[in-house]
Amino acid sequence: MELHLASMENITCWAFRSLCQGITDSYTGIFSMQYLVRRSKAWREIDTFTSKERQWIQVATSKEQECREFMARLKRELLADSEKNNVFGVQLNLSCPSPNIIKIGQGPALIKRTVRTIALLNALLSQDNFKVSIKTRLGLNEFEVKQRKIFALLNEIEKIQNPNFSHVVIHFRHAKEPSYAEYNYEFLKEIAEYKIPIVINGGINSLRDYNNIIDSIKNKKNIIGIMIGRAALKNPDCFVQFSNTMNNNHLEERGLNKINQDFNELCKIHPPRNIYLEKIKEMCEWNKT
Ligand SMILES: Cc1cc2nc3c(=O)[nH]c(=O)nc-3n(C[C@H](O)[C@H](O)[C@H](O)COP(=O)(O)O)c2cc1C
């Protein structure tokens, strides 16, 4: 089973991603594609150094031409900086709830704009070097969930034939819900019927949570993995039980002191920017001392 460490802005730097044992995939925090296309210094923030897992760069855009320019530039930048040339793929963000993103037609504003979203995915797929995935919510708001906008989008995604299209991550909430709201896995049974690899995300803290979510789903074969965010902030070893049980690994859980030590060592290898160090200190109990 695929085990994805969620994209977390100003947190999932290389050191944090490398700290998480057992993961198969990790993501940078969200980047504005325009920023990466227009500003050379933005590329200093890309930290896809050698890793055990597949690394994804997560981007937000609403422009097809920008996607093509970005993919060409990504290839050039990585060839010029071989240390960072470990990018498995690019993920299009349709999930960030920030009003600033939504008001410029990016992120979850795209969920209902099926034609535009498919055009963006096809533009990202117009190359053969990187895989492409998408992370979406159930809709921009409750109304869109009731209108089943996610199904209109999945209907079109299912038609993509390009083998470089990898998977859809679904964050099982709409974009106006607060982070403490209950997750809504009601649609999962129907979603699992699509011939699309699906990674489920939201409120999964343990193997028991995962089993509770998928127990009633008969056809599980398209659910290829899970994505975890906040539980990894509490304990970066939250993937270990999954990895040992589902992927037949024999990883050992570390205590939180050891995790902190390991993180500090990783920070010496590739120092994260201060904004990451500050946010990790703020959000992760184990990094307080
Ligand atoms: C501090 C923080 C930053 C986040 N930044 C991003 C981001 O940059 N891109 C994204 O797609 N999701 C972002 N998310 C959402 C997570 O990727 C994930 O979808 C969400 O936390 C639900 O998963 P969980 O219940 O396992 O935490 C962020 C979440 C947190 C807590």
Side-chain angles (χ1 to χ4, degrees):
M1 183 167 82
E2 293 192 6
L3 301 174
H4 294 223
L5 170 65
S7 170
M8 288 183 278
E9 196 176 12
N10 295 331
I11 289 179
T12 47
C13 55
W14 176 87
F16 190 93
R17 302 196 304 266
S18 301
L19 187 62
C20 294
Q21 303 187 76
I23 57 175
T24 59
D25 294 75
S26 74
Y27 301 79
T28 64
I30 185 172
F31 279 95
S32 152
M33 188 183 275
Q34 188 186 43
Y35 178 56
L36 286 166
V37 167
R38 301 247 176 102
R39 304 281 290 271
S40 290
K41 79 167 205 244
W43 290 89
R44 285 189 227 143
E45 296 181 31
I46 297 292
D47 60 354
T48 49
F49 302 107
T50 306
S51 68
K52 58 196 177 317
E53 79 280 5
R54 295 182 287 247
Q55 295 181 104
W56 296 80
I57 296 180
Q58 196 193 64
V59 287
T61 185
S62 59
K63 300 196 175 110
E64 281 172 68
Q65 183 54 24
E66 207 167 75
C67 289
R68 288 193 196 89
E69 286 173 35
F70 171 72
M71 289 315 242
R73 180 142 190 188
L74 176 61
K75 187 177 171 195
R76 281 202 313 277
E77 293 284 342
L78 294 176
L79 285 176
D81 192 347
S82 59
E83 262 205 309
K84 296 182 178 179
N85 198 357
N86 307 292
V87 175
F88 184 70
V90 171
Q91 177 168 79
L92 179 65
N93 179 305
L94 265 63
S95 68
C96 176
S98 156
N100 292 337
I101 297 258
I102 294 168
K103 81 172 176 240
I104 55 173
Q106 299 184 0
L110 286 165
I111 298 172
K112 63 174 174 297
R113 302 189 65 192
T114 309
V115 175
R116 170 62 62 99
T117 301
I118 297 300
L120 294 174
L121 289 175
N122 282 329
L124 292 172
L125 285 163
S126 64
Q127 47 77 40
D128 203 22
N129 298 289
F130 305 101
K131 300 279 180 191
V132 172
S133 69
I134 184 169
K135 181 175 183 221
T136 181
R137 294 197 179 226
L138 297 175
L140 175 62
N141 48 35
E142 197 179 345
F143 182 63
E144 286 194 13
V145 178
K146 288 207 177 102
Q147 288 187 315
R148 297 168 54 88
K149 293 291 184 198
I150 182 78
F151 292 102
L153 180 61
L154 294 174
N155 285 340
E156 295 309 310
I157 290 178
E158 198 175 38
K159 293 178 192 157
I160 296 176
Q161 294 292 319
N162 192 314
N164 286 329
F165 183 76
S166 169
H167 64 274
V168 179
V169 178
I170 302 184
H171 181 179
F172 279 81
R173 261 198 193 133
H174 63 69
K176 301 288 179 189
E177 278 174 292
S179 60
Y180 52 80
E182 278 291 298
Y183 281 92
N184 174 7
Y185 279 96
E186 224 172 80
F187 285 162
L188 180 58
K189 187 164 171 251
E190 267 178 272
I191 286 173
E193 293 298 324
Y194 281 87
K195 290 186 195 69
I196 304 172
I198 302 287
V199 173
I200 61 172
N201 171 236
I204 303 170
N205 299 306
S206 64
L207 196 53
R208 194 196 300 152
D209 290 341
Y210 168 72
N211 285 331
N212 284 343
I213 291 166
I214 66 147
D215 252 6
S216 59
I217 311 292
K218 277 208 189 91
N219 176 13
K220 301 180 179 62
K221 72 175 190 308
N222 296 326
I223 304 173
I224 58 156
I226 55 152
M227 172 179 277
I228 296 182
R230 285 163 303 170
L233 298 178
K234 277 203 191 112
N235 181 3
D237 274 352
C238 64
F239 295 95
V240 165
Q241 194 193 14
F242 283 100
S243 181
N244 290 348
T245 313
M246 319 288 265
N247 296 343
N248 211 13
N249 280 328
H250 300 92
L251 301 169
E252 280 190 25
E253 284 200 40
R254 301 160 290 181
L256 294 182
N257 283 340
K258 174 78 169 102
I259 286 175
N260 194 26
Q261 253 176 33
D262 288 354
F263 180 66
N264 291 335
E265 290 304 315
L266 289 162
C267 289
K268 286 184 199 154
I269 304 174
H270 293 299
R273 290 166 61 227
N274 276 343
I275 191 165
Y276 285 81
L277 293 173
E278 283 158 18
K279 187 91 178 175
I280 291 167
K281 206 166 262 324
E282 178 196 323
M283 310 263 321
C284 303
E285 280 298 322
W286 49 266
N287 187 235
K288 292 268 189 257
T289 48

